[in-house]
């Protein structure tokens, strides 16, 4: 929450959604009528999202943010700006994350053949009318995707069973291994449903959802991939991975330090491939997040290099730099005169190298 400006968390998210809606995204399609002005479902679990037939080649990642007109932006989370209207007794709400298996494809390597499951993480507004009547409404343009194979789901499930057996025993229906028929449509469809139920069960259990096991399952491969791409100056390849990872992390509200580092990595990569306007868009989000004193503690060492980076970007784009100059001057006064401030890319690379060593 931006305590400096007394901006609520919901208002903060509205502004970020408005910025994100200027770029490219995936949207979760629920099975409600297209002409329904208030799309909803009793539960994201109830939406019939079946996997399409498997394909023989690896699908390319889709754009992660939408280029739709700004008027079609995500419904704001406060009642004063939301396009949806609800009776007063239904306005008690909270945001939740739900996972669905969006699609599958068969991947073949020199050593093996296996099915990759493409997972989509979508945010919903959950409205409650007592304990029994709960409805969900999707928040458009706030989703992220990642791909995992069955063995990775199984490893996460077994690790959670080992560490939190009493909680995990409440879950039934994890898809079992099969000796034959791994690639049949029926097996894959049933696995889609069971694996989605597993992820949502863990997500709903606060203790389980915050475990290192589940966190590593959700985003560790992409974080390691983007770190490696950044170290090797493969900026163009890193951009979509970082953008997707940032949206996922920010939706889950986990690991503020990692969110800030991922956002800063995305900004420098976009700048490196001359995508200056998009770099500027995400830089605005970063500056807003760093207004919070707690976030500055989490992102210690990044704030001043970020400000200096933004000052150069703002100058190139002809933007007003008064705020940036005042902040840079203020922070310079707090440092020893002989201190040299490294550029943002160097700071990020040094952090990756240190974390790799440890």
């Amino acid at each position: 929450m931006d305590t400096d400006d007394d901006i609520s968390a919901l208002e903060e998210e509205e502004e970020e959604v408005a910025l994100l809606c200027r770029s490219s995204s995936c949207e979760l399609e629920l099975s409600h009528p297209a002409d329904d002005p208030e799309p909803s479902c009793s539960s994201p679990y109830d939406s019939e999202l079946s996997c399409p037939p498997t394909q023989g080649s690896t699908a390319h990642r889709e754009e992660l943010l939408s280029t739709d007109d700004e008027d079609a932006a995500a419904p704001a989370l406060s009642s004063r700006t939301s396009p949806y209207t609800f009776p007063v007794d239904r306005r008690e709400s909270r945001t939740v994350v739900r996972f669905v298996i969006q699609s599958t494809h068969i991947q073949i390597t020199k050593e093996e053949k296996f099915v990759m499951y493409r997972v989509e993480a979508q945010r919903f507004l959950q409205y409650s009318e007592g304990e029994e009547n709960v409805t969900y409404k999707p928040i458009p343009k706030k989703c992220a995707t990642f791909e995992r194979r069955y063995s990775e789901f199984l490893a996460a499930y077994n690790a959670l069973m080992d560490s939190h057996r009493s909680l995990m025993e409440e879950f039934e229906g994890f898809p079992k291994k099969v000796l034959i028929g791994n690639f049949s449509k029926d097996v894959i469809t049933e696995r889609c449903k069971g694996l989605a139920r597993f992820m949502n069960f863990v997500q709903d259990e606060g203790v389980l959802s915050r475990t290192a096991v589940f966190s590593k399952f959700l985003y560790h491969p992409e974080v390691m991939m983007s770190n490696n791409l950044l170290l090797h100056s493969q900026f163009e390849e890193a951009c979509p991975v970082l953008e997707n990872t940032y949206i996922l992390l920010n939706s889950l509200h986990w690991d503020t330090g990692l969110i800030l580092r991922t956002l800063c990595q995305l900004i420098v990569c976009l700048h490196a491939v001359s995508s200056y306007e998009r770099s500027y868009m995400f830089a605005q989000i970063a500056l807003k997040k760093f207004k919070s004193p707690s976030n500055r503690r989490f992102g210690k060492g990044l704030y001043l290099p970020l400000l200096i980076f933004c000052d150069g970007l703002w100058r190139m784009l002809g933007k007003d730099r008064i705020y940036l100059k005042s902040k840079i001057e203020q922070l310079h006064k707090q440092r020893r005169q002989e201190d040299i401030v490294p550029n943002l890319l160097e700071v990020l690379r040094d952090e990756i190298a240190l974390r790799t060593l440890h």
Side-chain angles (χ1 to χ4, degrees):
M1 183 179 296
D2 190 343
T3 53
D4 288 332
D5 296 325
D6 194 28
I7 298 176
S8 72
L10 296 185
E11 289 172 326
E12 200 169 291
E13 183 160 6
E14 289 173 21
E15 294 180 14
E16 183 168 335
V17 169
L19 285 171
L20 293 177
C21 286
R22 297 175 191 168
S23 71
S24 54
S25 167
C26 53
E27 290 190 28
L28 178 63
E29 296 181 1
L30 297 174
S31 56
H32 42 56
D35 58 351
D36 185 354
E38 273 190 44
S40 65
C41 55
S42 59
S43 166
Y45 296 109
D46 298 335
S47 300
E48 290 299 324
L49 292 158
S50 58
C51 300
T54 55
Q55 300 171 357
S57 59
T58 303
H60 295 291
R61 283 187 177 274
E62 298 174 355
E63 288 290 337
L64 304 172
L65 297 167
S66 167
T67 54
D68 294 343
D69 186 85
E70 289 186 26
D71 292 336
L77 300 186
S78 70
S79 58
R80 60 180 172 79
T81 55
S82 173
Y84 301 124
T85 57
F86 303 94
V88 173
D89 62 349
R90 288 188 62 193
R91 286 182 182 169
E92 182 179 350
S93 64
R94 66 188 183 99
T95 58
V96 296
V97 174
R98 287 292 177 267
F99 299 97
V100 297
I101 309 294
Q102 184 199 48
S103 62
T104 64
H105 64 264
I106 294 173
Q107 189 160 316
I108 303 174
T109 67
K110 291 181 179 179
E111 295 79 21
E112 56 186 336
K113 174 182 176 182
F114 51 88
V115 178
M116 292 295 291
Y117 295 84
R118 185 182 178 90
V119 180
E120 189 171 280
Q122 171 71 51
R123 296 193 72 188
F124 287 82
L125 281 174
Q126 176 183 290
Y127 291 90
S128 303
E129 292 181 89
E131 294 183 2
E132 300 297 327
N133 194 353
V134 179
T135 58
Y136 296 82
K137 293 185 181 295
I139 303 173
K141 310 198 176 37
K142 291 290 287 183
C143 63
T145 61
F146 56 91
E147 292 185 345
R148 300 290 182 266
R149 54 189 296 184
Y150 171 79
S151 60
E152 292 173 290
F153 285 95
L154 181 61
Y157 172 77
N158 287 335
L160 289 172
M161 283 294 290
D162 290 340
S163 61
H164 296 80
R165 182 168 294 274
S166 59
L167 288 174
M168 286 298 298
E169 284 180 343
E170 297 178 17
F171 175 75
E172 298 179 356
F174 188 87
K176 296 180 180 180
K177 281 187 173 181
V178 294
L179 296 177
I180 57 173
N182 282 3
F183 306 105
S184 72
K185 183 177 179 181
D186 290 343
V187 169
I188 291 172
T189 298
E190 286 306 307
R191 281 188 172 180
C192 285
K193 295 176 182 178
L195 296 175
R197 284 197 299 269
F198 162 66
M199 287 185 289
N200 288 314
F201 172 83
V202 175
Q203 178 65 23
D204 285 344
E205 288 285 349
V207 174
L208 296 176
S209 68
R210 297 286 176 159
T211 58
V213 169
F214 194 55
S215 301
K216 186 175 181 179
F217 166 78
L218 289 179
Y219 54 75
H220 184 71
E222 286 72 26
V223 170
M224 297 303 293
M225 181 192 301
S226 59
N227 284 347
N228 185 60
L229 292 170
L230 188 66
L231 285 175
H232 291 86
S233 300
Q234 295 176 270
F235 303 116
E236 187 170 358
E237 294 86 347
C239 285
V241 180
L242 286 165
E243 196 167 317
N244 188 59
T245 304
Y246 166 68
I247 295 172
L248 176 63
L249 291 169
N250 201 48
S251 296
L252 296 170
H253 299 298
W254 292 355
D255 197 339
T256 302
L258 181 56
I259 291 174
L260 296 173
R261 291 196 302 275
T262 302
L263 185 53
C264 287
Q265 289 178 13
L266 175 58
I267 292 165
V268 298
C269 286
L270 288 169
H271 186 278
V273 298
S274 303
S275 185
Y276 302 122
E277 287 294 340
R278 285 173 61 74
S279 181
Y280 170 70
M281 179 189 76
F282 283 103
Q284 291 179 82
I285 296 172
L287 290 175
K288 185 169 183 61
K289 288 185 179 295
F290 271 100
K291 283 183 180 180
S292 164
S294 62
N295 282 359
R296 286 200 295 272
R297 288 194 294 272
F298 281 116
K300 186 179 180 181
L302 289 174
Y303 188 42
L304 182 54
L306 173 65
L307 287 170
I308 294 173
F309 173 90
C310 289
D311 184 56
L313 179 60
W314 265 235
R315 182 175 61 250
M316 183 179 65
L317 295 176
K319 308 294 184 180
D320 187 344
R321 298 158 55 209
I322 294 176
Y323 172 79
L324 293 172
K325 285 183 175 180
S326 66
K327 283 294 182 182
I328 292 171
E329 184 178 350
Q330 177 185 340
L331 291 177
H332 271 308
K333 288 179 181 178
Q334 300 172 8
R335 299 171 63 91
R336 295 192 302 272
Q337 198 167 13
E338 64 272 16
D339 283 350
I340 298 175
V341 182
N343 68 47
L344 185 57
L345 178 57
E346 290 175 356
V347 172
L348 293 167
R349 281 177 164 164
D350 287 346
E351 281 197 346
I352 293 171
L354 285 173
R355 290 176 185 278
T356 302
L357 289 175
H358 291 85

